[in-house]
Amino acid sequence: MEVPIPAVGTSGPEAGASRFLVSDEDAGKRLDQFLAQALAGDLSRSRVQSLIEAGQVSVDDVAALSPKRRVQPGESVALVMPEPEAPDPEPENIPLDILYEDADLVVLDKPAGLVVHPGPGNWTGTLVNALLFHCGDTLSGIGGVRRPGIVHRLDKDTSGVMVVAKNDLAHRSLAEQFAAHGADGRMERAYQAVVWGIPSRPIGTVEAALGRSNSDRTKRTVVPAGRPDARHAVTHFEVLERYGEGNTSASLVACILETGRTHQIRVHMAHIDHPLIGDETYGAHFKSKARKFGTAAETVAGFPRQALHAFRLAFEHPSTGEAMEFETELPDDLSELVEALRHFTPDAT
């Protein structure tokens, strides 16, 4: 087991390097022996040898590639630990709501809270882990070891319909359809969202390029189209239901993607001043409005995720060419939110 090594005297070019000064007593020792002893058993000598041979060790800021090299008094020996490799995902018996399955693909209704593929902080308990258990070896390597069969994804806290490829042919076909964003007429992705306020137009389009936020690299924001990282993004929306009026209002909106950018619906709806209820990233400043919703205030204020559900997915079957379409109802938490808003009595104050 590898043990994280704390930085010791981090002077020199290796940021975060562990550094050790060779004393008179250590003079003449092999480099691997010196380091293994300096690390007080945190790494085995064979592991130290492999790190030296991999170029992770330097002496006086010069790479030392031989474990047999003899160290001299006053020399500074630096070790830079490589980033740990991500583990390959393992099958896990996680229940899946399968809407359709054949030899080419699986269509499922992803619950909110389920991460699609492994990553930092979520190496287990993901949709990929569940699919590996459900499908066995049929997913192996399709689309990459850590993303087997995945041709699109939904955010952790977004629920709804997803399709997964079970072989290379299906993966290529579905990936092409997602890349076309429906421009060729084969695919459609539609979402339902509960947003703050009521858009002024019952039907509209948001066309605004998206890029990374300068203040938070994990967020997306609307940027000028000419910015180097700008990505063309178009969202069509239709107001399905209206709740309340004025500053105490919300609405159920259908959104159809013409492009598929990260956080697209969330950013675009926030851009037109109608962020999703429950969206702490793009609509947290609207949360204070919840207290005005009277009988629905607690439900609105406490909604634990962005109120977004991928309710419809249509695509062309990779093998047969048949038009496939799948729809799902709002999950329980969103249904409860909508019901509370349909019948709420505003705060009189």
Side-chain angles (χ1 to χ4, degrees), residues 45-266:
R45 189 163 171 178
S46 61
R47 175 62 173 146
V48 170
Q49 289 172 353
S50 66
L51 289 169
I52 294 170
E53 292 167 350
Q56 300 297 126
V57 176
S58 63
V59 178
D60 288 341
D61 297 332
V62 177
L65 302 177
S66 173
K68 298 178 181 180
R69 183 197 188 282
R70 302 289 175 172
V71 297
Q72 301 301 321
E75 289 182 327
S76 175
V77 178
L79 166 66
V80 179
M81 290 297 294
E83 291 293 325
E85 292 186 7
D88 290 343
E90 297 290 337
E92 296 179 44
N93 188 6
I94 301 170
L96 293 174
D97 185 358
I98 304 295
L99 305 177
Y100 173 84
E101 182 174 10
D102 61 22
D104 295 303
L105 51 86
V106 179
V107 180
L108 57 97
D109 190 3
K110 185 189 89 67
L114 181 63
V115 175
V116 171
H117 52 77
N122 295 287
W123 293 119
T124 61
T126 71
L127 176 61
V128 163
N129 298 108
L131 288 167
L132 289 171
F133 183 90
H134 177 78
C135 299
D137 294 336
T138 60
L139 285 184
S140 180
I142 301 168
V145 173
R146 296 183 181 90
R147 294 172 54 95
I150 303 299
V151 291
H152 70 124
R153 73 178 184 88
L154 298 176
D155 289 340
K156 174 185 176 181
D157 289 327
T158 298
S159 56
V161 187
M162 285 189 64
V163 60
V164 177
K166 293 176 68 174
N167 55 54
D168 288 328
L169 183 149
H171 191 276
R172 287 195 300 272
S173 173
L174 291 169
E176 289 172 358
Q177 293 181 57
F178 276 101
H181 304 301
D184 57 9
R186 293 187 293 170
M187 175 168 286
E188 180 183 338
R189 288 173 290 169
Y191 295 70
Q192 288 180 337
V194 183
V195 304
W196 294 103
I198 302 172
S200 58
R201 294 172 295 164
I203 297 176
T205 296
V206 183
E207 184 170 0
L210 301 182
R212 287 189 181 276
S213 167
N214 291 327
S215 61
D216 184 343
R217 304 297 289 173
T218 66
K219 294 174 62 176
R220 300 300 190 272
T221 188
V222 170
V223 300
R227 209 173 89 167
D229 69 329
R231 298 292 180 268
H232 180 63
V234 181
T235 303
H236 305 285
F237 69 86
E238 179 181 358
V239 178
L240 302 178
E241 295 184 10
R242 298 166 178 80
Y243 317 114
E245 58 184 14
N247 291 328
T248 309
S249 62
S251 49
L252 177 65
V253 177
C255 296
I256 297 178
L257 295 178
E258 187 174 311
T259 57
R261 309 303 181 192
T262 300
H263 298 177
Q264 178 174 316
I265 291 174
R266 298 165 63 188

Side-chain angles (χ1 to χ4, degrees), residues 254-309:
C255 296
I256 297 178
L257 295 178
E258 187 174 311
T259 57
R261 309 303 181 192
T262 300
H263 298 177
Q264 178 174 316
I265 291 174
R266 298 165 63 188
V267 178
H268 272 176
M269 295 310 295
H271 179 62
I272 62 171
D273 213 29
H274 297 290
L276 276 59
I277 287 177
D279 193 338
E280 293 292 333
T281 301
Y282 301 106
H285 57 294
F286 273 70
K287 195 170 183 178
S288 61
K289 294 178 179 288
R291 65 178 183 272
K292 298 181 179 181
F293 281 78
T295 55
E298 185 176 349
T299 302
V300 174
F303 198 74
R305 64 180 179 99
Q306 64 260 13
L308 185 63
H309 177 69

